[in-house]
Amino acid sequence: MRENRLLLILLLSAIIFCLLFAYILPINRYSPKSPYNPDIWISKYSYNSNELLDVKFNTHNRGRLYFDILLNGVKTEAYLDTGNAFGICVSEQAAKADKFQIYNYTNVYNSEGALISESPQFKVNSFYIEGKQMKLDSGIIVEGKDSYIGFEPFKAGRITLDYKNKKVAFSKSRLPENITSSESRQVFNFFIMEGNGEGYIVIPIRIDEEEYYAMVDTGASVSVIDSKIANQVNAKQNIFGRVKLSNLEIGSFKTSLPSVSVHSQRAVGRGIEKEIMATIGADVLCQFLVTIDYQQRLLILER
């Protein structure tokens, strides 16, 4: 009897280990790539050396790029979140310092336009990212321990993300005209949502040769597809609600993902003709040198 119980425990342990190895670990398994060293791409993309910033990136922060920031005299960390429609969202923990004077409350919505919360809004008196002064008027205080930066500080220029070398560059100068699509580089004209989702970056993608609209979200650890897409491509969800996606096309680039989240992802934005049915997260973005030019509404992926 005791031997049978021991065998059962060993069998259950082996099953749990296999599930963890097959489904959970790949979620945190990022493979950052870059076609160039930073000194090469800052030249190609016409950045000055003083526009290059350091960031933190590893699997423990779930694919997010973290900056050291100084906000209203308070030192903290914040990750870059292109899916954030606000200037900066500061964690309650960081906001405990007596440097954030609330002057209003603002409604926070999700990508589907549903009201999530009413959050305190504060005035930004000073804001530095990795020692570089940035223009920002206000921010909000959110639950949780993480702070995150939205598109607002970067909307007057362009930003390049190098996940592999842990570097980011920001400039208000114009993108060089020779940065065009090629075999190793794709240039997309993206849509920007207005209203509740202002600043969201939306591009067309293809899954099983069917076109969908997807939001590009550096704050999303894992890419997401709507349950309607999962049903259309006959993707079988595992016990964690995730699917393997082996037929994702972004422009001419093809990639596969071992673990994609599946849930209601539909959103409708003013000025966008189709529903947004997916999110491209850090598990995809880290495979490229990523440039976002907000002034010209260009997304550039290079590998």
Side-chain angles (χ1 to χ4, degrees), residues 29 45 48 111 196 240 295:
R29 193 174 295 162
Y45 283 78
N48 295 323
S111 60
N196 297 334
F240 300 103
Q295 285 293 292

PDB file of all heavy atoms in Angstrom, residues 29 45 48 111 196 240 295:
ATOM      1  N   ARG A  29      10.563  32.461 -21.273  1.00  0.00           N
ATOM      2  CA  ARG A  29      11.750  32.151 -22.063  1.00  0.00           C
ATOM      3  C   ARG A  29      11.839  33.097 -23.252  1.00  0.00           C
ATOM      4  O   ARG A  29      11.235  32.865 -24.292  1.00  0.00           O
ATOM      5  CB  ARG A  29      11.693  30.692 -22.524  1.00  0.00           C
ATOM      6  CG  ARG A  29      13.030  30.196 -23.082  1.00  0.00           C
ATOM      7  CD  ARG A  29      12.970  28.729 -23.384  1.00  0.00           C
ATOM      8  NE  ARG A  29      12.796  27.954 -22.159  1.00  0.00           N
ATOM      9  CZ  ARG A  29      12.378  26.697 -22.142  1.00  0.00           C
ATOM     10  NH1 ARG A  29      12.057  26.098 -23.260  1.00  0.00           N
ATOM     11  NH2 ARG A  29      12.257  26.057 -21.005  1.00  0.00           N
ATOM     12  N   TYR A  45      20.609  54.769 -37.666  1.00  0.00           N
ATOM     13  CA  TYR A  45      19.342  55.444 -37.386  1.00  0.00           C
ATOM     14  C   TYR A  45      19.543  56.914 -36.978  1.00  0.00           C
ATOM     15  O   TYR A  45      18.591  57.574 -36.549  1.00  0.00           O
ATOM     16  CB  TYR A  45      18.571  54.696 -36.308  1.00  0.00           C
ATOM     17  CG  TYR A  45      17.889  53.442 -36.813  1.00  0.00           C
ATOM     18  CD1 TYR A  45      18.607  52.264 -37.024  1.00  0.00           C
ATOM     19  CD2 TYR A  45      16.524  53.426 -37.092  1.00  0.00           C
ATOM     20  CE1 TYR A  45      17.990  51.117 -37.497  1.00  0.00           C
ATOM     21  CE2 TYR A  45      15.901  52.283 -37.556  1.00  0.00           C
ATOM     22  CZ  TYR A  45      16.639  51.133 -37.764  1.00  0.00           C
ATOM     23  OH  TYR A  45      16.021  49.993 -38.234  1.00  0.00           O
ATOM     24  N   ASN A  48      22.414  60.488 -31.766  1.00  0.00           N
ATOM     25  CA  ASN A  48      23.645  60.942 -31.131  1.00  0.00           C
ATOM     26  C   ASN A  48      23.971  60.016 -29.970  1.00  0.00           C
ATOM     27  O   ASN A  48      23.068  59.408 -29.377  1.00  0.00           O
ATOM     28  CB  ASN A  48      23.496  62.382 -30.629  1.00  0.00           C
ATOM     29  CG  ASN A  48      23.308  63.368 -31.753  1.00  0.00           C
ATOM     30  OD1 ASN A  48      23.916  63.227 -32.822  1.00  0.00           O
ATOM     31  ND2 ASN A  48      22.465  64.369 -31.535  1.00  0.00           N
ATOM     32  N   SER A 111      -8.654  48.058 -23.089  1.00  0.00           N
ATOM     33  CA  SER A 111      -8.632  48.199 -24.541  1.00  0.00           C
ATOM     34  C   SER A 111     -10.010  48.022 -25.179  1.00  0.00           C
ATOM     35  O   SER A 111     -10.230  48.417 -26.322  1.00  0.00           O
ATOM     36  CB  SER A 111      -7.658  47.180 -25.157  1.00  0.00           C
ATOM     37  OG  SER A 111      -8.055  45.860 -24.842  1.00  0.00           O
ATOM     38  N   ASN A 196     -10.204  56.812 -25.630  1.00  0.00           N
ATOM     39  CA  ASN A 196      -9.755  56.054 -24.454  1.00  0.00           C
ATOM     40  C   ASN A 196      -8.436  55.339 -24.688  1.00  0.00           C
ATOM     41  O   ASN A 196      -7.665  55.121 -23.759  1.00  0.00           O
ATOM     42  CB  ASN A 196     -10.824  55.028 -24.051  1.00  0.00           C
ATOM     43  CG  ASN A 196     -12.122  55.686 -23.634  1.00  0.00           C
ATOM     44  OD1 ASN A 196     -12.113  56.835 -23.189  1.00  0.00           O
ATOM     45  ND2 ASN A 196     -13.224  54.993 -23.789  1.00  0.00           N
ATOM     46  N   PHE A 240      -3.673  25.586 -18.962  1.00  0.00           N
ATOM     47  CA  PHE A 240      -3.421  26.945 -18.510  1.00  0.00           C
ATOM     48  C   PHE A 240      -4.082  27.973 -19.424  1.00  0.00           C
ATOM     49  O   PHE A 240      -3.876  29.177 -19.272  1.00  0.00           O
ATOM     50  CB  PHE A 240      -1.907  27.212 -18.431  1.00  0.00           C
ATOM     51  CG  PHE A 240      -1.196  26.293 -17.479  1.00  0.00           C
ATOM     52  CD1 PHE A 240      -0.459  25.225 -17.959  1.00  0.00           C
ATOM     53  CD2 PHE A 240      -1.278  26.474 -16.111  1.00  0.00           C
ATOM     54  CE1 PHE A 240       0.198  24.358 -17.089  1.00  0.00           C
ATOM     55  CE2 PHE A 240      -0.627  25.624 -15.238  1.00  0.00           C
ATOM     56  CZ  PHE A 240       0.108  24.566 -15.731  1.00  0.00           C
ATOM     57  N   GLN A 295       6.021  60.518 -34.650  1.00  0.00           N
ATOM     58  CA  GLN A 295       5.761  61.660 -35.513  1.00  0.00           C
ATOM     59  C   GLN A 295       5.281  61.216 -36.894  1.00  0.00           C
ATOM     60  O   GLN A 295       4.352  61.793 -37.462  1.00  0.00           O
ATOM     61  CB  GLN A 295       7.010  62.517 -35.650  1.00  0.00           C
ATOM     62  CG  GLN A 295       7.327  63.367 -34.432  1.00  0.00           C
ATOM     63  CD  GLN A 295       6.283  64.458 -34.215  1.00  0.00           C
ATOM     64  OE1 GLN A 295       6.178  65.393 -35.000  1.00  0.00           O
ATOM     65  NE2 GLN A 295       5.503  64.340 -33.152  1.00  0.00           N
TER      66      GLN A 295
END
